[in-house]
Amino acid sequence: MSTFTTGDGTDLDYRDTGPTASGRTLVLLHGWSQTRATWDRVVPALAEQHRVVSYDQRGHGLSGKPDHGARVARLAADLAELVAHLELTSFDLVGHSMGASVGWSHIDTHGTGALDSLVVIDQPSACVVLPWMTAEEGAAAGAILDFPSTEGFVGAVGAADATETRRAFLTSMLSDVLPEDDLAFLFGENLQMPGPWGARLLLDHAMQDWRDVLPRIDVPTLVVAGEVSHVAPASQEWTAAHIPGAQLRTFAADEGGSHFPFYEGPEHFARVLLDFLAGTPGPRG
């Protein structure tokens, strides 16, 4: 385990696994309320060939939990600072759920110059039907909330008695065959994030519209959907269609095709990701 301190004084807990002298460098970004530990089932297979960096984003897991920075933009700045600290000249970015939004924010401000590839795991490019969208446009991009429901949900997540709300939200993202001990593990990771801070981050995350970033992504991209995810697979088809040359892979239920395919079906996920990487140009040095 290692710790890096950001420019605003927040400690980020990270793991750096696998060969550093050969292969590629994969940077894994977890989703809202989860931790780098959710990747642990898939990291060993990836690290046989590639260097793998996973970390707890601020406010999550073992990383610092400041009162400030509950914004996707700040999490993207953390990513840029960690990449600079590790002296990565190029890397493959793998973002799950909100982690994909952090990746899009990074691309929006830093471009794709440092990226060898991008992997988007089950994240709509818009979560809420915003005022400049029609209902049909929002649905196509994957928006599942409107303004009133967003306000109510964020308030419930940040409430003092939000434990059951948070558990129900997590359960909705997982398949109904997931063992209870796995759910307990994921929920334990979830609870490491302070609820009120997480609610602020969730609101910021939900209100973003990344649709205009997608056509500007000019690196090999894999978009991942789940057949039994709470995120409509059609929205990931829409995302892939709007990223030039992107590939789409929808995991079936028996492959762990929930919102967490790398946790519920790590063997399938690792094989798909490694095959994707094998088919793309290597690091630029």
Side-chain angles (χ1 to χ4, degrees):
M1 61 181 293
S2 302
T3 301
F4 164 70
T5 304
T6 65
D8 69 346
T10 301
D11 291 337
L12 301 182
D13 179 83
Y14 72 93
R15 301 292 185 276
D16 194 345
T17 309
T20 58
S22 62
R24 310 169 74 122
T25 299
L26 282 59
V27 178
L28 311 181
L29 294 176
H30 64 75
W32 180 84
S33 82
Q34 285 304 310
T35 71
R36 56 141 207 93
T38 60
W39 298 103
D40 284 353
R41 287 183 168 181
V42 75
V43 165
L46 302 177
E48 288 181 3
Q49 300 180 37
H50 306 295
R51 181 182 181 184
V52 181
V53 176
S54 59
Y55 69 99
D56 289 329
Q57 302 196 67
R58 71 169 58 212
H60 298 74
L62 301 178
S63 286
K65 297 174 176 60
D67 290 334
H68 59 276
R71 288 175 289 277
V72 171
R74 179 61 249 189
L75 271 57
D78 293 344
L79 168 64
E81 290 187 29
L82 179 59
V83 165
H85 170 72
L86 295 174
E87 300 181 337
L88 301 182
T89 56
S90 67
F91 59 98
D92 299 278
L93 186 60
V94 182
H96 170 233
S97 195
M98 184 198 69
S101 293
V102 174
W104 286 330
S105 182
H106 178 82
I107 292 170
D108 196 31
T109 55
H110 290 75
T112 59
L115 298 186
D116 293 317
S117 73
L118 174 69
V119 180
V120 174
I121 304 173
D122 215 37
Q123 172 56 42
S125 54
C127 296
V128 175
V129 180
L130 297 166
W132 49 89
M133 302 177 189
T134 65
E136 292 74 19
E137 289 171 337
I144 55 177
L145 297 170
D146 56 18
F147 268 61
S149 59
T150 301
E151 178 183 14
F153 179 59
V154 169
V157 166
D161 58 347
T163 301
E164 288 307 314
T165 299
R166 291 173 65 169
R167 181 182 173 87
F169 183 38
L170 174 63
T171 301
S172 73
M173 303 181 199
L174 300 163
S175 71
D176 56 10
V177 298
L178 185 72
E180 182 62 32
D181 58 345
D182 284 337
L183 174 59
F185 166 75
L186 292 173
F187 190 47
E189 297 301 292
N190 178 293
L191 291 178
Q192 294 186 65
M193 180 192 69
W197 187 92
R200 287 159 48 200
L201 176 61
L202 180 60
L203 180 61
D204 180 82
H205 167 47
M207 290 296 162
Q208 303 301 319
D209 179 2
W210 302 110
R211 294 176 301 163
D212 64 328
V213 175
L214 305 185
R216 295 185 282 127
I217 298 173
D218 57 0
V219 295
T221 300
L222 172 66
V223 179
V224 172
E227 185 179 70
V228 293
S229 172
H230 72 298
V231 175
S235 70
Q236 302 311 287
E237 296 175 16
W238 190 94
T239 294
H242 286 78
I243 298 175
Q247 300 177 36
L248 173 70
R249 177 59 156 85
T250 300
F251 284 86
D254 61 1
E255 296 177 306
S258 71
H259 188 56
F260 287 77
F262 52 90
Y263 187 83
E264 295 207 41
E267 299 87 356
H268 300 288
F269 182 86
R271 184 167 59 251
V272 168
L273 179 53
L274 290 171
D275 286 349
F276 166 71
L277 294 173
T280 65
R284 294 185 294 278

